[in-house]
Amino acid sequence: MQALVLEKTRLLRLRDIVIDEPLGSHDVRIRIHSVGICGSDVHYYQHGAIGPFVVRAPLVLGHEAAGIVMETGAAVTTLRPGDRVCMEPGIPDPNSRPTRLGLYNLDPAVRFWATPPVHGCLRPTVVHPEAFTFKLPDNVSFGEGAMVEPLAVGLHAANKARLKPGDVAVVLGAGPIGTLTALAALAGGCSRVFITDVQPAKLALAATLGPITPIDVRGQNPAAVVRAATGGWGADVAFEASGVPSAAAQAIDALCPGGCAVFIGMPGAPVPFDIVAAQVKEARIETIFRYAHVFPRALALMGSGKINVRPLVTDRFAFADAVAAFDYACRMRPASVKVQIELT
Ligand code: ZN
């Protein structure tokens, strides 16, 4: 099959590749329709590695996908050919200790699309377990279905924050994950969300998505803005979604006494952290790694209209132009949020 293959750092090709994928009894075969380009895909393209994960052999990229079921294994009961679906890209070992504890995203043996050596989904078909394949509501498009994966990160962060109705949140970073986290926070009960960035176009787009107040950190201090708007109190929750080292301190600074900071972004190197600044507020610190158990909730929120991700899919490319799509994603215009590739 023709796939988008990362041959080595900075060399992507659309070429034939043989991937032997027998259909197990609990699997479905899916024709891929839409795939979003994630920051991690771009990072592998530009640098050939993320932390301990190094691209040592040609790798098919892509892990944010939606498509149509073509064929089902003998034991599959919930899906049929023709069903429109999206897929959770990480398949854990069902018998591992983290999985049995419900923490399947932390299973060290998880096989996650486009994380070496596991091929991703930028190819015409994939075989995937029924249990990690989710039917799209009729009013959710393939493009929206391919946004469920990044939205799942935001929902998992909102779960970790244990949001209460009426909470005020601040999200640091208005990229795809930050913006989707803001939508997840509103859907989770926040009355108001502040969002920071250095790109006015991204902030302007975020501000159109709900009661979201943009903060341009080039000229404004997030903590000062949030305190001014909350009678000096601060935010109940701070979501750090930028990965920028200085944002960790900003997250704590913006919190109210007893508030919660959730760390989503991954800085490229260890970050110094002022423990006392967190202690004097008795701040609760949470972290997330990908997500678990949230795809059905993401789809329910999209289907009910509580979360609308359509404005965030800003750019679409045909599969034939997949290499150009990646080059575009490497130097995106400021107003772009999510680039998707369509295979049909
Ligand atoms: Zn992603």
Side-chain angles (χ1 to χ4, degrees), residues 126-167:
V126 297
V127 167
H128 210 63
E130 174 188 22
F132 290 82
T133 304
F134 302 90
K135 234 173 128 162
L136 304 182
D138 289 341
N139 60 345
V140 171
S141 67
F142 290 111
E144 291 167 272
M147 289 291 276
V148 169
E149 197 274 342
L151 175 59
V153 175
L155 288 174
H156 192 51
N159 279 340
K160 283 295 191 89
R162 294 182 233 142
L163 295 174
K164 292 187 292 297
D167 273 352

Side-chain angles (χ1 to χ4, degrees), residues 36-41 62-64 89 112 146 149-150 153 177 291 338:
I37 299 180
C38 178
S40 67
D41 295 311
H63 63 261
E64 304 177 358
F112 198 98
E149 197 274 342
V153 175
I177 295 295
Y291 39 74
K338 180 57 75 177

Side-chain angles (χ1 to χ4, degrees), residues 24 34 41 68 108 113 121 133 175 177 179 184 188 238 245 251 262 265 272 279 293:
S34 294
D41 295 311
I68 300 176
W113 276 343
C121 58
T133 304
I177 295 295
T179 308
V262 185
Q279 283 173 319
H293 311 292

Side-chain angles (χ1 to χ4, degrees), residues 250-270:
Q250 288 177 351
I252 302 299
D253 196 17
L255 283 184
C256 69
C260 172
V262 185
F263 288 91
I264 305 168
M266 292 182 158

Side-chain angles (χ1 to χ4, degrees), residues 48-108:
I50 296 179
F53 298 102
V54 180
V55 179
R56 299 185 197 282
L59 180 76
V60 177
L61 292 179
H63 63 261
E64 304 177 358
I68 300 176
V69 174
M70 305 164 63
E71 190 184 0
T72 57
V76 169
T77 57
T78 61
L79 295 169
R80 287 185 306 194
D83 282 346
R84 301 161 62 256
V85 293
C86 69
M87 289 73 78
E88 186 165 344
I91 309 303
D93 169 1
N95 297 312
S96 74
R97 188 164 180 176
T99 303
R100 286 182 290 117
L101 288 168
L103 305 168
Y104 66 85
N105 53 319
L106 306 183
D107 176 10

